[in-house]
Amino acid sequence: MKKILLFICVMAAIVACKPTPETKNVAFEMPAVADIAMYQVNPRVFAPQNSLNAVAARIDSIRELGVNVMWVMPIYPIGIEKGKNSPYCIRDYKAIAPEFGTIDDFKHLTQVCHEHGMGIILDWVANHTAWDHPWVKDHPDWYTHDEKTDTIIHPRPWDWLDVADLNYDNKEMRAAMIDAMKFWITEVGIDGFRCDVADGVPADFWKDAIDQLRAAAGNRKIVMLAEGKRLDNFTVGGFDMNYGWDYKDELVKVFNGAPASDLIAADKAEYDSLPAGKVKLRFTTNHDHATETEPCVQFTNDRGAMAAYVASIFPHGGALIYGSQEVGYPEPINFFKYVPVDWTAKPEIYKEYKELIELYNEEPALRKGSLTTYPDADVLVFEKADGDDRFLVLVNVRNESKTVQTPQDWVGRETEDEITDQKMKLGESVTLNPFQYLILEY
C-alpha cells in the first residue's frame, strides 16, 4: 500500500512540474507603439467552429506578413435575448463562446503568438452588455435607465437594440469591469486590449482601468488601442493608440476624385492635436468597413487597393491589416456569421503586402520619420526622413497615368524603387501608371 501511495505521489509531482500550454512561459516583449504592425483577426473567417485553433494553425502565414501584434475580435459567449449573433453582444466577460473554442484554446493561441514574436490583444466591449448578461438581473442599477419608465435602455443615439447600456456612474460596476479585464492579463497572458466604442465610456474610467492593468501586468508591456477619436482618451485615459477614422474617410474621397493634397491636410489634422508618443491606427479596411465593401472594390481594383494602403501606412505609421485583405477578398464580410475565405487566392497580393510591411519594419524612417509634403492634385507626394535615411513616396491616386513634378532636392538623383528594385534617374517630373506607387531611397 505504501509503494502504491509513493508511486501516486511521484507521478503527481511529475505531472505538476510538466510544462503545459496553459502554464508555459515564453520570453516575449511587446514592440514600442510606434513600431506596431497589427493584424486583425475575425475568427469567423477562419472556421465555422473551433476557429481559435484555426487561427493558431495559420500563425506562420500571418507572421510572415511582418505583423507583430494580433488583435482578436470578441470571443466571449454571445447574448441570445434580443440578439443578432453579434460578437459585440457579450453575455460573460470571463468565458469563451463554444463556437470559437475553449479558454485553453485561447491560451494556446496566446502562447503561439508569443513564440512567433507577436503580441496579442483582445477586443473589449465596455460600453454595453447583452440583455441576458447576469448583471442585468443581479445588478440592474449597473445600467442606464430611461428617466420616464425607469427601464434599462440600449446605447443612445445608436440603434443597437441587442445590447444594454452600462451606467458608469456606478462604482461597483466599474470595479467589476476592471476585474474582468485583469483576468485576461493575469490569467491568460494577453498583451492589452482594443477597446470598442471607447468614446462612449468616460475617460476617467479608462485611466483607472489602464493604471490597474499596467500594474497587474508587472514588468510586461501592454498596449491599449481606443476605437474612437476623443483626445481625452489620450490625455486622461492613458491609451497608446486610437483610430484614424478621419484619414480613412478622406482616403475614400481622394480616390473618388478629391485632390490628393486633401490627404496631407487630413494627416496633419489628426497628428497636430496628438500628444507626443501616441499613434493613430491607419487602415484601408477593418471589420466595420468590410461589412459594406472590400478595398479592392472601394478603391476600384487591386492596384487601387495597394496604392491606398501605401498612402495609409507610410505618412505616420500605425499599420493595420484586416484578416482577408491580404488575399484580396472581393466580397463584403458580415462578421455576424461565418464567411469562408480562400487563403490561397491572389498570392501576388499577399506577397505585395508582405513586401510593404517588411519595408515598414526594416526602415524606421518610413514608419516614424519626419514628414515633408509636396501637395499635388493627383499624386500623393511626401518624403520621410530619419537621420541620414531619406525616402520619397509617390502614390498615383487615379486610375490613369499622371505626371507630377519631382521635388527639387531629388532632381537628378539616381535611385531605385524599394519594392520592384527598378533603377531610375529622376528628372524634373515623374510619370506614374494608373494607381502606381514608388518608394525611393535617397
Side-chain angles (χ1 to χ4, degrees), residues 1 5 31 36 57 81 95 141 148 166 171 179 187 271-272 301 311 336 339 347 362 386:
M1 185 67 175
L5 289 173
I36 286 176
E81 183 181 345
D141 55 322
K148 294 181 180 180
L166 286 165
K171 294 182 179 179
D179 175 72
E187 302 301 316
Y271 268 88
D272 273 358
N301 53 33
F336 286 36
V339 177
E362 291 169 0
D386 182 21

Side-chain angles (χ1 to χ4, degrees), residues 390 392 406-416 423-428 440-442:
R390 295 171 59 185
L392 182 66
T406 306
Q408 194 58 43
D409 200 28
W410 287 77
V411 175
R413 171 69 49 179
E414 292 187 356
T415 183
E416 69 178 9
K423 291 180 170 54
M424 63 187 73
K425 183 175 181 179
L426 296 177
E428 294 289 338
L440 308 174
E441 187 172 12
Y442 192 77

Side-chain angles (χ1 to χ4, degrees), residues 20 49 54 74 278 296 302 383 388:
T20 68
Q49 294 291 328
K278 307 299 184 179
C296 59
D302 285 332
E383 180 182 307
D388 293 332

